[in-house]
Each structure stands twice: as structure tokens, then as C-alpha cells.
Amino acid sequence: MNDVKVEKLLINYKTLEKFKRFKEYGNQELSMLEDLQSNIVENDSESPFYGIYFGNALVARMSLYKVDKKYDLYFEPAHDYLVLWKLEVLPDYRGNNYGKALVEFAKSYNLPIKTNPRINSQGFWEKMGFQKAKYEMERDFGENPLIWMPDGVNEKDLKSN
């Protein structure tokens, strides 16, 4: 896994073409085409998209958004945190630690991370050290968020309103 490199993906039509390959596999809720299309302005725009290439083929991707602590619904006291959204590895490339490499890249920011498990991925997230968010408020858009805490941020900091 040492030679796996996570790259920031440009917001452009070339990346849009690469994203279409992911949509072929039918995980509509994971489709980032619409997200990318709405963000296409120019190559140097701030991109929330990251990926791993095998040769010239984009084989794994995720989107990663930073949330300012003023919008924090998860921690007390409030923290800046990351939302890791729509992590996906193409079927032929699963089992090569590409998903783990993307998660480790997100963890390298040393901020709390929130994600929502999708399509039988709960076990993967648990192996990556994520735990169920412990707060008593309405569900997170109908989903069950998982939280990862970096060293120095305690689980007791999770809100329990």
C-alpha cells in the first residue's frame, strides 16, 4: 500500500468522463456525476474530490468536505470536522486497500470525520476505527452517521443533547 497515491481530482470534463465509469456499476446513491457537474468552473477550482489511479484509470474516489465548527452538530465543544462522502472503489480493484488509503488520507488532516455508511459498508468503517455518533437529535438526513476521532479529541466530546 506504500505506493498508493491519493490525488486531488480536478473539476473538469476529463474527470467527469472518468466518473462515468463508476456510474456503470449501478450504485446510484454513490454517483458523484451531479456533484462534479455542478462544480465545473475551471481546472483550478477548489475540488472536494480525491482519487487513486491504477495506471491511467481512476479506480477509487471519495469526496471530502470541511465543515466549520459553527455548523457542528456532533461535538461539544464545537470542532471543525470533515465529511467523508461517497467513497467508492471499482469492483475489479477492491481488496487492494484503496478504500483504506482514501480513509487514511482523510485522517491525515487530524480532524474529526463524519461519514454515512452505504451499501453494506458498516464493517469496513468499523475496521477503520469509526463509531456510531452518540447524540440524541433527529437522524442525519435519515442516515446513521459514523464518527472517527483523532488522537486528542475524546469520544466524550460527542454531543449528547
Side-chain angles (χ1 to χ4, degrees), residues 118-136:
R118 292 172 174 24
I119 310 172
N120 303 319
S121 66
Q122 184 85 24
F124 167 79
W125 293 109
E126 289 171 358
K127 280 193 242 179
M128 296 292 102
F130 284 73
Q131 299 176 4
K132 193 172 190 101
K134 296 175 182 161
Y135 63 95
E136 296 175 25

